[in-house]
């Protein structure tokens, strides 16, 4: 039996239970039928005895000179017509006036008579001269209520058993039907379990569960199991950490009620296949893969049974944290921007150096010195302004690089910079990686918005402000472009949405989503003016500086 599958063990166990239940039911019905036969016989005998006791002929005969002579023929006729085994009429002292066997007339009645002598009719099962019988004893009363005789009518137990046995076929049919229906139900249940458990043994199921549970919680990636109704039924610890879910869930929950971002919740609910899709939460950037979970429809063929078609059970979703990779990508993009800026500056400085050399060759050293000094002063002034206003080297380098890059593209970038206060407050207290992500993407979007327009201009304003006693860092990026189209203000920060015409796969629609996520991580706010007085869009970011920034 150890090698039997769970379905086989359940089938055998249920069949044994049904057999025991059918046997018990049959015995109960048999006992009930027997008791019913005895009760029905006792009632009939009581009716016969009471009818005889109420007959005036009986009262007149028992008080006459020869009771037996007049009552014996009467009793024989009643026994034949009423189909009773005996009808005994006796004196109060038990002397029989009548009996089926005439030799017993005048002998003492065998049985109980005390209740009848007290004037009460009763029934009993007693063994007399004819064997065990069901009998009724009724007193014969005169007009004064005195007991003048007793009437005993009875049917032998053998005759009662015949009536009981007549009900046995019905009992057999009931027991057989119960057994048949129970067996059919057990077979269908066993077949269902064999299909759902793939005919595995209990120890195999326990091993599968143990291995699956260990694999689920040992994965470094987040894993979600979602049923066909869009309900989350199982997830591992990593998924709980990535999505901010509770450590355990007792029952399936609709993914739309878990507080997940709209695009991610919709993907999980619909169960669509996804391959390396990027989704944003408040704190993380996730790479999501999702595929349907199908039942092993061909597993039965390996065990010699008829295989079935695979059935969709739900979806399996994996989550990879891509936040750090995106941060490194942003830093790499910043380095590329700086490289492009340095290349542009090197090209510009080469041109200026050629100009200085040419002036010297023309024997105009004074003008060469003035030109070189003016250029040096302008470059140093820009660097000093950026460093004094920003205080964060990475952010200062990014802005300088973006300004040089914009000059190469024919775009004027105006930096409205406010010097950092001497009390120690400033963007240097914030995460440099997050600042590079926010500023770099906003400036890139502004540059793209004005590219190819007449008199393109982008204004970047940086300042440390005091918001209700709490210092904060404010960044404004404004362009002279066409602004944000009407109806797109709400969607502009959603993942994958872009107002720029692009081909699939070009990576559009992620910059502002990354900015919004970085602002939320720093506890700040992001405000959009889709159409300013100058015609372009303005993005305003306010980031609170850490508590205790002022020293």
């Amino acid at each position: 039996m150890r090698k039997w599958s769970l379905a086989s063990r359940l089938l055998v166990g249920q069949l044994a239970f049904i057999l025991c239940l059918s046997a018990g039911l049959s015995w109960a019905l048999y006992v009930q039928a027997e008791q019913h036969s005895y009760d029905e016989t006792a009632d009939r005998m009581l009716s016969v005895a009471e009818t005889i006791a109420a007959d005036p002929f009986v009262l007149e005969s028992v008080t006459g000179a020869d009771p037996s002579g007049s009552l014996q023929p009467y009793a024989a006729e009643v026994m034949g017509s009423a189909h009773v085994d005996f009808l005994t009429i006796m004196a109060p002292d038990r002397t029989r006036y009548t009996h089926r066997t005439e030799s017993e007339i005048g002998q003492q009645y065998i049985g109980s008579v005390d209740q009848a002598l007290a004037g009460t009719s009763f029934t009993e099962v007693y063994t007399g001269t004819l064997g065990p019988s069901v009998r009724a004893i009724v007193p014969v009363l005169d007009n004064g209520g005195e007991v003048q005789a007793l009437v005993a009518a009875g049917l032998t137990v053998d005759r009662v058993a015949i009536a009981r046995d007549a009900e046995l076929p019905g009992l057999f049919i009931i027991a057989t039907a119960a057994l048949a229906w129970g067996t059919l139900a057990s077979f269908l249940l066993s077949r269902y379990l064999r299909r759902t458990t793939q005919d595995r043994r209990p120890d195999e199921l326990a091993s599968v569960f143990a291995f699956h549970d260990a694999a689920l919680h040992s994965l470094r990636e987040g894993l979600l199991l979602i049923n066909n109704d869009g309900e989350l039924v199982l997830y591992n610890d990593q998924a709980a950490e990535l999505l901010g879910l509770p450590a355990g869930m007792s029952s399936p929950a609709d993914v739309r009620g878990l507080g997940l971002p709209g695009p991610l919740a919709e993907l999980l609910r619909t169960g669509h296949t996804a391959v390396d899709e990027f989704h944003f939460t408040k704190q993380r950037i996730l790479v999501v893969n999702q595929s349907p979970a199908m039942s092993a429809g061909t597993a039965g063929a390996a065990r010699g049974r008829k295989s079935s078609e695979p059935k969709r059970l739900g979806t399996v979703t994996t989550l990879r944290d891509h936040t750090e990779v995106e941060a490194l990508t942003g830093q790499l993009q910043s380095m590329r921007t700086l490289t492009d800026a340095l290349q542009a500056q090197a090209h510009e400085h080469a041109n200026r150096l050629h100009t200085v050399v040419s002036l010297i060759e023309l024997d105009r050293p004074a003008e060469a010195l003035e030109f070189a000094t003016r250029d040096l002063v302008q470059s140093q002034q820009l660097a000093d302004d950026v460093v004094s206003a920003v205080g964060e080297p990475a952010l200062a380098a990014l802005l300088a690089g973006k300004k040089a890059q914009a000059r190469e593209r024919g775009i004027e970038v105006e930096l409205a910079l406010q010097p950092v206060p001497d009390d120690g407050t400033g963007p240097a207290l914030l995460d440099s990686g997050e600042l590079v992500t926010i500023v770099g993407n906003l400036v890139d979007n502004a540059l793209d918005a004005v590219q190819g327009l007449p008199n393109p201009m982008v204004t970047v304003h940086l300042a440390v402000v005091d918001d209700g006693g709490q210092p904060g860092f404010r960044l404004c990026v404004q362009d002279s472009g066409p602004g944000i189209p009407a109806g797109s203000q709400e969607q502009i920060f959603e993942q994958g949405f872009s107002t720029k015409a692009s081909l699939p796969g070009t990576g559009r629609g992620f910059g502002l989503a990354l900015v919004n996520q970085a602002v939320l991580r720093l506890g700040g706010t992001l405000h959009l003016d889709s159409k300013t007085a100058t015609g372009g869009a303005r993005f305003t970011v306010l980031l609170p500086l850490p508590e205790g920034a002022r020293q």
Side-chain angles (χ1 to χ4, degrees):
M1 188 173 179
R2 291 182 177 179
K3 296 184 179 181
W4 289 5
S5 66
L6 176 64
S8 299
R9 296 186 187 189
L10 184 62
L11 176 61
V12 172
Q14 285 186 315
L15 289 178
F17 172 76
I18 291 172
L19 285 174
C20 294
L21 181 64
S22 299
L25 178 63
S26 300
W27 174 253
L29 292 176
Y30 174 82
V31 172
Q32 182 181 8
E34 183 177 45
Q35 185 63 40
H36 177 264
S37 299
Y38 275 86
D39 292 343
E40 185 178 8
T41 301
D43 292 341
R44 190 165 72 88
M45 294 301 101
L46 183 62
S47 298
V48 172
E50 287 177 344
T51 301
I52 299 301
D55 192 343
F57 172 76
V58 174
L59 178 61
E60 181 182 353
S61 296
V62 297
T63 57
D66 185 13
S68 296
S70 57
L71 292 176
Q72 178 64 18
Y74 173 77
E77 182 181 356
V78 172
M79 285 187 287
S81 60
H83 303 289
V84 298
D85 288 337
F86 68 87
L87 177 62
T88 300
I89 303 174
M90 68 196 84
D93 63 357
R94 295 175 177 265
T95 301
R96 298 190 186 101
Y97 293 141
T98 63
H99 198 275
R100 177 171 290 277
T101 304
E102 293 187 1
S103 60
E104 295 293 333
I105 295 175
Q107 303 296 323
Q108 291 291 308
Y109 171 77
I110 301 174
S112 302
V113 295
D114 293 339
Q115 290 178 269
L117 291 175
T120 304
S121 302
F122 69 97
T123 60
E124 67 174 355
V125 178
Y126 201 88
T127 302
T129 57
L130 300 178
S133 61
V134 178
R135 58 182 67 181
I137 297 91
V138 177
V140 177
L141 304 177
D142 58 13
N143 295 332
E146 295 293 331
V147 177
Q148 299 296 325
L150 304 174
V151 177
L155 200 66
T156 60
V157 171
D158 294 340
R159 294 276 301 277
V160 177
I162 293 174
R164 176 202 62 199
D165 294 342
E167 299 185 20
L168 292 182
L171 302 182
F172 176 77
I173 292 174
I174 294 175
T176 302
L179 180 61
W181 282 109
T183 302
L184 178 60
S186 299
F187 173 75
L188 294 177
L189 179 60
S190 174
R191 185 177 178 183
Y192 169 75
L193 286 176
R194 181 174 288 109
R195 184 174 63 255
T196 54
T197 63
Q198 298 181 12
D199 207 21
R200 287 192 172 97
R201 301 191 306 271
D203 58 326
E204 290 178 329
L205 292 175
S207 299
V208 169
F209 175 79
F211 283 126
H212 284 190
D213 187 67
L216 179 69
H217 294 287
S218 65
L219 288 175
R220 298 299 301 273
E221 296 183 347
L223 182 65
L224 307 174
L225 302 182
I226 303 169
N227 62 20
N228 290 326
D229 296 327
E231 296 175 330
L232 180 61
V233 296
L234 188 63
Y235 55 87
N236 63 355
D237 301 333
Q238 185 69 8
E241 180 180 353
L242 293 178
L243 298 179
L245 301 176
M249 185 177 294
S250 58
S251 60
D254 194 325
V255 296
R256 293 172 293 184
L258 299 178
L260 302 178
L264 179 57
E266 184 65 16
L267 174 65
L268 298 179
R269 187 190 67 82
T270 57
H272 294 159
T273 299
V275 179
D276 290 340
E277 287 190 7
F278 283 85
H279 287 267
F280 295 84
T281 65
K282 183 177 181 180
Q283 299 291 337
R284 302 177 186 275
I285 303 171
L286 303 178
V287 179
V288 180
N289 287 275
Q290 182 168 270
S291 60
M294 310 298 293
S295 64
T298 58
R303 296 172 178 258
R305 294 183 302 275
K306 183 179 179 181
S307 62
S308 58
E309 290 296 328
K311 183 175 66 174
R312 183 185 177 109
L313 304 177
T315 55
V316 177
T317 306
T318 59
L319 309 172
R320 293 200 312 271
D321 190 357
H322 210 258
T323 308
E324 295 182 0
V325 177
E326 284 297 319
L328 294 176
T329 302
Q331 295 177 11
L332 177 60
Q333 184 62 38
S334 299
M335 294 302 102
R336 288 176 177 174
T337 300
L338 292 177
T339 301
D340 294 340
L342 289 175
Q343 290 176 350
Q345 288 179 348
H347 184 267
E348 185 176 359
H349 283 296
N351 291 333
R352 292 180 179 181
L353 182 59
H354 289 157
T355 302
V356 172
V357 171
S358 299
L359 289 173
I360 293 176
E361 289 178 347
L362 294 174
D363 196 19
R364 302 173 71 173
E367 294 181 10
L369 179 60
E370 181 185 358
F371 179 83
T373 303
R374 185 173 64 251
D375 180 65
L376 179 61
V377 170
Q378 289 177 351
S379 299
Q380 187 62 42
Q381 184 64 41
L382 174 62
D384 292 342
D385 290 344
V386 171
V387 172
S388 64
V390 175
E392 170 57 54
L395 187 55
L398 177 67
L399 289 173
K402 290 295 182 183
K403 186 174 178 66
Q405 190 180 39
R407 187 164 51 246
E408 285 289 308
R409 298 169 62 178
I411 302 172
E412 182 182 353
V413 174
E414 178 182 341
L415 297 179
L417 308 174
Q418 176 179 319
V420 176
D422 296 333
D423 56 8
T425 59
L429 297 173
L430 298 171
D431 185 274
S432 61
E434 302 287 14
L435 287 176
V436 167
T437 297
I438 295 171
V439 176
N441 281 285
L442 289 179
V443 173
D444 283 341
N445 281 351
L447 294 177
D448 290 341
V450 299
Q451 182 70 46
L453 298 178
N455 301 319
M457 175 177 286
V458 173
T459 302
V460 179
H461 181 267
L462 303 176
V464 174
V465 298
D466 196 340
D467 185 12
Q470 173 63 34
F473 176 63
R474 183 173 64 195
L475 162 68
C476 293
V477 178
Q478 181 174 342
D479 61 71
S480 60
I484 305 299
S488 301
Q489 291 87 346
E490 297 295 331
Q491 299 175 286
I492 195 71
F493 299 107
E494 293 183 3
Q495 165 198 339
F497 179 81
S498 176
T499 59
K500 307 164 191 175
S502 62
L503 297 175
T506 56
R508 294 290 190 186
F510 287 93
L512 289 178
L514 289 172
V515 170
N516 187 47
Q517 187 185 54
V519 170
L520 291 176
R521 279 198 294 266
L522 294 176
T525 59
L526 174 59
H527 178 69
L528 166 64
D529 293 320
S530 59
K531 196 76 171 179
T532 63
T534 59
R538 179 172 57 212
F539 292 86
T540 303
V541 176
L542 181 61
L543 302 175
L545 295 176
E547 292 288 344
R550 296 184 184 275
Q551 301 295 333

